Amino acid sequence: MAEMNLIQAVNDALRVEMRRDPRVVVLGEDVGRFGGVFQVTVGLREEFGADRCIDTPLAESGIVGAAIGMALYGLRPVAEIQFGDYIYPAYDQIVNELAKIRYRSGGEYAAPVVIRTPIGGGIKGGHYHSQSPEALFTHIPGLTVVCPSNPIDAKGLLASAIRGEDPVIFMEPKRYYHKSRADVPEGEYTIPIGEAKVVRSGSQVTILTWSAMVHTALEAAQKGEAEGLDLEVVDLRTLVPFDEAAILASVKKTGRVVIVHEAPRTSGFGAELAATIAEKAILHLEAPILRVTGFDTPFPYTLEHEYLPDADRILDAVGRVLSF
Amino acid sequence: MSATEREAAELHEKSRLPEKAELAKYYHQMLAIRRMEEALAKAYALRKFGGFLHLYIGQEAVAVGALATLKPEDYVIATYREHAHAYAKGMTAKSIIAELFGKATGCSQGLGGSMHLFDASKNFLGGYGIVGGHIPLAAGTAFASKYRGDGRVTLCFFGDGSVPQGAFHEGVALAALWRLPVVFICENNLYSMGTPLYRSLSVSDVSQKALAYGMARDRFDGEDVVRVRDRVAEAVRRARNESLPTLIEIRTYRFRGHSMSDAGLYRTKEEVEESKKRDPITFGRELLVRAKMDEKDIVAIEDQVTAEIEEAVKFADESPELAYERLAEFTYKE
C-alpha cells in the first residue's frame, strides 16, 4: 500500500499496465513532456519513450480516430481528452466508429480503446472546464462508462478498462484529483467493472451517486447522522453496465431513494436509475424517488457552488422522502 | 532499407505474375466487381434487400490497380462505396453479396449490410458510412505498424466528398506529423452526392492539400489500371521503405448514381455517356488484346466471372436468414 491522490493512482495504473503490456500506449494533448494538464501522465514519456506516451496536436477527432486504428491493429491505446468538455469534437468517432465496430463487423474487429477524461465542476472552471457529460455516453450501446470517485477505485478500474476487450469512457472527478487520498495497493491491481460499492451502510434512505458527488453524499450522511439519520450511500463506480443487483438490494432494504448527480437533471443518468427502480422494485418503495442534480443550465461560472448539489440539498431531499 | 526488407521486397517482386497474367488478373477482378454490382443492382430492384446501395461502377481500375501493389498483410480501409476494395483485397463475391442480403453467411455475419464489409483474415478494415470518419483510423493503423516495425502499409480510400470534413484534415495531419506508412487515395469522382466539386471545394485540385502538411502527393486519371498500379506503387514504396505518407488524387467517374435513389438530375446524360468512353473495363480488355492474349482466353475469363457471380448470388439467396437471437451479439464481447 502507498498513499496516493487520484492523480497518482491513475498515473500508477498507467505505469503498471504499460510495464505489463507493451501494447499499451498513451496519447493526448500535452501528455508527454508536459506530463498532462493535471500531471496525470507525468514520467511516462521518460520511462516508456515518446512512441508510447505520445503528444498529439489539438485534434480530438484525430486523437480518438487514431486510437481506434491502433486498437484495430492490436494495440491498447489509452487516449486522454484534456477536459471532458473537449470530448465533443470526438463524439462522432466515439459514437459512430468506436462503439459500433465490433457489432457492425460481426465481431471481425474490436476497438479496445480507453478514453480518459477529467469531468465535473468545483474548480472555478466555468462553462468549458466543468461539464459532466457522462449521460451522453451511457446512451451509446457498445461503450462502457466508468466514473470512479477515489484513488483506489480509479487505479483498479482503469487497469480493468485497459485489460478489457471493449471501449471504455473513463471519467475522473477533477475536483478530487488532489483532495481524495487513500492507501492504494501497489503493483498490479484490478477492480471488476460493473460492481457498485456500498460506501456507507444505512437503513433509512439509499443515496445513489457516483464520481465527485460520492464525497458530497458522504458529507450529507455524516451531517445527517448528527441529526439521528441512518443513510446508505452507494457509489455506482460504473454507469454502463450499472450494478442493478446492488442497487435493488439497497432499495429493497431502505424503501427510499435519493439519486444525486452533478450533471443537469433532464435526461441525466439519474432518470435511468429511477426508471429501473420503478420497473423492478416499485412495490418496495415507501416514497417517490427524488433527484438532487445540477440545474438545466449551462455550467455556471460564478454560481457554481449554488449549481452543484451539496449536503444541505441532499438532506432536504432525504427529509422529503422520509416524511412522505 | 534493411537486408531483410530488401529480400522481402525482391521476393514480392518475384511473386508477381508475368505482365500478361497480371493484366488477366486485373481484368478478372474489374469485371467481377462490375458484374457483382450489376447483380446487386438487380437484386435491389427485386427488393431482395433494402436500405442503401452505392455502386462503384466506372471506378473499378482505381481499387484494382491500387490494391495490386499490396501484400496480403497490408491494410485497406475504405468508405461506404467499398464493394470493389473488399473484393480486390481478396474477399469473395459470396461473402460480400450475402452480407448485403443481410444473411448470416455474409462477411460481417449479416449484422452490417451495405457499407459494413469487414474481413480480418484479409486485413480489410471495413467500409465506413460516416464520410471521412475513417481517415484518422488509417493514421492509427499506420502508427501501429510503425510502432511494431512490421513493415505493413495502410491504404486509405475516400471520395472528394470527404475532403471538406475535419476528420480528413486531422487524419492526414497526424500521418504527416508522425511520418506514418500510409497512402491516402482520394477517388475524385467529381460529385459529392449531387453537388459538383466546384461547389464544394474552393481549390478543385485535392492533391494540393498535401502541400499544407508537407506530404508527398500525386494526381492522375484513373481509367487505366496499369497506370493506377504503377503510380500507387511509388507511394506504397515510400510508405514501406521511408515510412512517409502520400496523398494521391485519382480522377475518376461513377457511371451510376450516388445511390439507388439518385435520379441523376445534377449532371447531363451527355456528360455520363462521354465518361463511359473511358470505361476502365473496356480499357482493361484492350490491354489484354494488346498483350496478345487470345480472344478465346479473354472470353474464358468473362465466362468464369459470369459463373462466379451467378454462383455467389445463388449462395446468398440460399443462405439462412439472420436469427433473431443474434440481435444483440457483438454489442460487447460476451
Side-chain angles (χ1 to χ4, degrees), chain A residues 53-231:
Chain A
C53 183
I54 308 147
D55 280 318
T56 67
L58 278 64
E60 287 80 9
S61 170
I63 292 167
V64 173
I68 298 168
M70 292 175 187
L72 296 180
Y73 207 105
L75 300 188
R76 292 296 177 122
V78 182
E80 176 177 304
I81 298 297
Q82 201 165 65
F83 283 85
D85 316 63
Y86 305 170
I87 207 165
Y88 309 117
Y91 199 57
D92 171 55
Q93 288 292 334
I94 295 169
V95 174
N96 279 318
E97 311 305 353
L98 182 63
K100 294 177 179 38
I101 199 150
R102 181 192 294 282
Y103 189 92
R104 69 188 191 90
S105 73
E108 285 291 297
Y109 286 100
V113 172
V114 178
I115 300 175
R116 290 183 39 250
T117 193
I119 60 163
I123 63 157
K124 283 278 169 219
H127 307 290
Y128 295 140
H129 299 81
S130 308
Q131 297 168 47
S132 295
E134 68 272 18
L136 298 175
F137 300 93
T138 62
H139 196 58
I140 311 299
L143 298 179
T144 295
V145 181
V146 179
C147 294
S149 64
N150 63 74
I152 301 169
D153 290 347
K155 177 173 175 180
L157 288 166
L158 181 56
S160 292
I162 292 170
R163 295 181 191 192
E165 301 297 328
D166 287 308
V168 176
I169 309 296
F170 192 88
M171 298 182 149
E172 301 162 6
K174 72 170 91 66
R175 180 153 54 132
Y176 287 94
Y177 263 155
H178 294 279
K179 276 196 277 187
S180 182
R181 304 184 69 85
D183 283 329
V184 178
E186 289 174 277
E188 289 194 31
Y189 174 65
T190 60
I191 293 176
I193 284 172
E195 289 184 6
K197 189 175 182 189
V198 178
V199 290
R200 184 191 164 103
S201 190
S203 60
Q204 290 180 305
V205 177
T206 296
I207 302 176
L208 299 176
T209 188
W210 57 91
S211 196
M213 282 296 125
V214 171
H215 302 276
T216 311
L218 284 170
E219 189 195 329
Q222 222 159 33
K223 234 174 145 175
E225 194 182 324
E227 299 165 21
L229 298 172
D230 185 22
L231 308 179

Side-chain angles (χ1 to χ4, degrees), chain B residues 83-160:
Chain B
H83 312 142
H85 311 83
Y87 184 88
K89 194 71 174 80
M91 291 167 65
T92 63
K94 281 181 180 175
S95 75
I96 294 169
I97 296 174
E99 186 59 37
L100 272 96
F101 283 16
K103 296 297 183 75
T105 54
C107 57
S108 307
Q109 308 203 29
L111 289 161
S114 163
M115 310 187 253
H116 309 286
L117 306 176
F118 290 86
D119 190 339
S121 73
K122 303 288 180 194
N123 294 315
F124 187 71
L125 285 163
Y128 290 78
I130 304 298
V131 174
H134 65 303
I135 298 173
L137 274 64
T141 56
F143 177 93
S145 62
K146 186 175 183 179
Y147 179 79
R148 292 195 159 163
D150 60 12
R152 298 185 188 189
V153 171
T154 298
L155 244 61
C156 174
F157 292 87
F158 50 91
D160 45 301

